[in-house]
Amino acid sequence: MTTVNITTQNLTTHPDFSVPTFGLIDFGVPSTGRFSVGYKMIAFEPGKILQAEELNELQFRMQTHENLTMQMISNWIPEVVFNGTSQTTGPGWDGATPLDPNYLTYIPTTRVIAITRGSWYLCKANSNGLFFWLYFQTSSPTDSPIQVNFQIPQETVVNQYIGFGINTTAGGEYTGEIVNCNSVGSSSGVKHPLTLKNSSVCGSSRYYLRITSVEVSNEPIRNDFCAFAQLRSDGLYYLNNSKVKEG
C-alpha cells in the first residue's frame, strides 16, 4: 500500500444543506459541530434523557442521505447509458462512489488524477456493510481552489486501486470516532452540552467518519480504505467499469 499525504479539512459545517430551524427547538449554530458533515450516526444511551433536537437531527441526516443518493443516481444515469459498456454497472459499489462521475479527471501522460474539491462520496464501511456519505475537502494552501491533483506514485502498477483513507481502525472494526455529547471532536474542545435545564446527563453520542488521505492499495476496500478507481493498462476506471474521463 502506498499513502500520499493530503491535508483534509475537518469541516464543522454541513455544506450544500441548510440546517433546519423548524419547531421550537434551537439547533444552535452549525459550527458547534452537531451538524458537522462528519457526524453520521447518533448513539442513544439507554436510561438517559433524549431531547427533541436529537430526533430532529436524526431526521435531518436521513433526509440528507436520501437527497444525495437520489442525486447520485440521476448524475450517473447518462454516464452508464451513453458511455457504458456491457460490463458497466450502476453506482453504489463496494468502495467510494462519487456523487458525480465528473468529479475525477485522469491525465495519463503525467499519471495525475484531478479530484474536485468539496465533493461527496458514498463510502462503504467494510466491517458492517453500511454506506455513508463522506465529504472530501482539503485545507492545504498549495491546492487549487477547484481541484486537488493526486500524483499516482511510480511504483503503482496496473490493477491497483486508488481511493480514500478513512479516519480510524480499531480492533479490526470500522468504528470511526465516537464523540459524546460533552464534546464535538477529540481535539476541538468545543462543548456540546445538553440544553435541557438543570440536567447533567448526556442523552446521546455521535459517530464520526472522515476522509484523511488519498492512497493506493492492492485491495478495493478495507476497514480503513475505500477505493474510487482502479488503474488499468488503458486508463483509470471507476469500480463499476466506467472509464474516468481523461484530460
Side-chain angles (χ1 to χ4, degrees):
M1 181 187 75
T2 301
T3 300
V4 175
N5 292 326
I6 286 183
T7 304
T8 53
Q9 189 174 5
N10 184 11
L11 296 180
T12 56
T13 58
H14 207 294
D16 302 331
F17 295 93
S18 298
V19 177
T21 56
F22 48 78
L24 302 178
I25 302 301
D26 178 12
F27 282 87
V29 182
S31 61
T32 59
R34 283 171 290 169
F35 292 94
S36 159
V37 67
Y39 292 126
K40 300 302 172 187
M41 298 179 72
I42 305 172
F44 299 108
E45 300 180 26
K48 295 187 178 180
I49 294 172
L50 173 65
Q51 294 190 105
E53 68 174 343
E54 290 159 337
L55 297 177
N56 288 336
E57 179 184 343
L58 180 64
Q59 180 180 216
F60 167 68
R61 298 203 175 282
M62 291 176 66
Q63 287 296 110
T64 298
H65 183 93
E66 182 179 357
N67 273 262
L68 287 170
T69 302
M70 290 189 296
Q71 189 176 341
M72 175 190 69
I73 295 170
S74 177
N75 290 341
W76 274 90
I77 286 176
E79 176 68 23
V80 173
V81 172
F82 298 112
N83 299 324
T85 68
S86 59
Q87 303 300 314
T88 305
T89 59
W93 54 76
D94 288 357
T97 306
L99 177 66
D100 192 308
N102 295 315
Y103 275 172
L104 302 184
T105 301
Y106 180 55
I107 301 96
T109 54
T110 57
R111 303 223 312 177
V112 166
I113 305 173
I115 308 172
T116 301
R117 292 187 64 185
S119 47
W120 291 96
Y121 291 82
L122 184 63
C123 299
K124 184 177 182 179
N126 188 42
S127 66
N128 59 34
L130 297 177
F131 286 82
F132 299 93
W133 280 103
L134 303 186
Y135 193 72
F136 177 73
Q137 182 62 285
T138 66
S139 56
S140 173
T142 60
D143 290 333
S144 159
I146 300 174
Q147 66 188 36
V148 175
N149 291 329
F150 174 72
Q151 176 73 60
I152 299 178
Q154 282 298 113
E155 62 269 26
T156 303
V157 296
V158 170
N159 294 329
Q160 284 192 304
Y161 298 92
I162 296 92
F164 296 125
I166 309 300
N167 64 327
T168 189
T169 300
E173 296 181 359
Y174 196 99
T175 61
E177 232 177 89
I178 302 298
V179 185
N180 64 38
C181 66
N182 287 321
S183 66
V184 298
S186 59
S187 60
S188 67
V190 181
K191 296 298 183 182
H192 170 213
L194 211 66
T195 57
L196 190 65
K197 213 170 187 179
N198 300 324
S199 175
S200 61
V201 286
C202 300
S204 63
S205 299
R206 303 298 187 274
Y207 182 78
Y208 193 96
L209 296 174
R210 67 174 178 270
I211 293 169
T212 58
S213 62
V214 179
E215 302 181 3
V216 176
S217 174
N218 292 323
E219 305 167 275
I221 187 169
R222 302 190 312 269
N223 288 350
D224 59 351
F225 174 80
C226 287
F228 52 69
Q230 183 183 38
L231 183 65
R232 300 180 186 174
S233 59
D234 61 336
L236 190 70
Y237 284 77
Y238 287 118
L239 299 197
N240 69 336
N241 296 310
S242 178
K243 193 171 185 178
V244 176
K245 69 177 183 179
E246 298 182 350

